[in-house]
């Protein structure tokens, strides 16, 4: 459970963010790692979100921004990696991690529980706005994974649209028409509702709204602030 008092609220919300390092081989199946759980199965988990990856290289940035380390509590990830981030992976890329074959599906759209976990109300807004979101994997071939194994590219998606770019266009520069066109070249690999949202924006004649965390978050307030 997470306590809303950590950001000045009241009450608690269920959460499975308290991940802990596990030693030795751990089985990775279609729905994730053996023993892993999701408290909110409507918005988390399932085959397309079997594994959440978060790059270790992002943690020094958050330390510099907020003055304390997120390392212990983490940001809900199943895998903390090095040399593998949102700018270098693309929805549809396939990798082998240990014995398991995985496919990149989408960047994470962060929710307010990140803020409750760290005691920073608008943390999810800043995670999203900086592009330091992490990303999800689907499991195409189950197998054992353990700390220290290599991540090997098996097949790269042909479209070349990074997870970072998907987050930027979907959540930040929401009316970047050329960006929408580029991201839609990856439509076959993206969640259906995201594609529908982008198609709707492509058809829109509205001007781009003002930039900044508050304005960018407006349509996503329930997700970002709870």
């Amino acid at each position: 459970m997470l306590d809303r008092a950590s950001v000045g609220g009241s009450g608690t919300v269920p959460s499975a963010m308290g991940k802990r390092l596990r030693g030795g081989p751990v089985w990775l199946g279609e729905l994730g790692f053996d023993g892993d759980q999701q408290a909110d199965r409507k918005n988390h988990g399932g085959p397309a979100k079997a594994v959440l990856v978060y790059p270790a290289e992002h943690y020094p940035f958050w330390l510099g921004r907020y003055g304390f380390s997120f390392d212990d509590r983490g940001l809900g990830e199943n895998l903390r990696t090095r040399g593998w981030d949102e700018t270098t992976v693309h929805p549809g890329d396939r990798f082998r991690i240990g014995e398991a074959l995985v496919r990149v599906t989408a960047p994470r759209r962060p929710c307010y529980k990140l803020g409750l976990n760290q005691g920073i109300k608008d943390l999810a807004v800043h995670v999203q706005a900086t592009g330091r979101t992490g990303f999800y994997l689907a499991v195409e071939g189950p197998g054992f994974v353990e700390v220290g194994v290599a991540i090997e590219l098996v097949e790269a998606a042909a479209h070349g649209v990074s997870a970072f770019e998907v987050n930027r266009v979907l959540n930040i520069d929401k009316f970047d028409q050329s960006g929408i066109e580029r991201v839609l070249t990856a439509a076959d690999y993206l969640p259906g509702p995201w594609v529908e949202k982008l198609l709707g924006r492509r058809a829109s004649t509205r001007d781009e709204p003002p930039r900044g965390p508050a304005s960018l978050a407006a349509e996503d307030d329930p997700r970002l602030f709870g």
Side-chain angles (χ1 to χ4, degrees):
M1 301 293 285
L2 294 174
D3 194 339
R4 291 184 182 271
S6 67
V7 294
S10 61
T12 60
V13 294
S15 173
M17 288 193 67
K19 315 295 186 187
R20 291 293 179 263
L21 181 65
R22 295 175 64 178
V26 182
W27 182 255
L28 177 57
E30 180 185 9
L31 296 179
F33 283 102
D34 185 36
D36 189 31
Q37 297 180 346
Q38 297 83 36
D40 175 7
R41 292 187 177 274
K42 178 181 178 181
N43 295 302
H44 301 283
K49 298 179 179 180
V51 178
L52 175 61
V53 176
Y54 201 76
E57 290 88 347
H58 292 340
Y59 280 101
F61 174 85
W62 299 119
L63 173 63
R65 182 159 195 157
Y66 292 109
F68 65 94
S69 174
F70 290 3
D71 284 18
D72 183 45
R73 287 179 177 267
L75 290 171
E77 65 267 31
N78 302 111
L79 290 178
R80 187 176 298 180
T81 61
R82 291 194 178 277
W84 203 38
D85 68 24
E86 301 86 353
T87 67
T88 61
V89 300
H90 315 83
D93 284 352
R94 299 166 73 229
F95 293 86
R96 189 166 297 281
I97 307 177
E99 297 179 354
L101 180 65
V102 301
R103 173 174 45 83
V104 177
T105 56
R108 169 171 57 180
R109 301 190 80 198
C111 79
Y112 70 98
K113 291 182 181 180
L114 293 182
L116 298 184
N117 190 46
Q118 298 290 349
I120 303 169
K121 185 174 183 179
D122 60 355
L123 178 59
V125 176
H126 294 295
V127 167
Q128 178 172 284
T130 62
R132 293 173 169 85
T133 57
F135 53 93
Y136 287 109
L137 306 175
V139 179
E140 294 191 340
F144 285 101
V145 176
E146 61 183 309
V147 173
V149 298
I151 300 168
E152 301 174 350
L153 178 65
V154 173
E155 182 181 11
H159 55 75
V161 178
S162 69
F164 182 91
E165 179 74 348
V166 174
N167 172 69
R168 183 188 71 79
V169 173
L170 184 71
N171 300 314
I172 302 173
D173 299 318
K174 295 182 177 182
F175 294 92
D176 174 357
Q177 293 298 320
S178 62
I180 289 172
E181 293 293 343
R182 285 195 303 276
V183 171
L184 284 173
T185 66
D188 288 348
Y189 300 100
L190 296 174
W194 294 16
V195 174
E196 292 174 9
K197 187 183 292 285
L198 291 170
L199 288 171
R201 291 178 187 167
R202 185 174 68 176
S204 173
T205 58
R206 291 174 54 191
D207 292 332
E208 182 178 350
R211 295 285 302 269
S215 62
L216 297 175
E219 72 174 0
D220 301 320
D221 276 356
R223 170 173 60 87
L224 292 167
F225 295 105

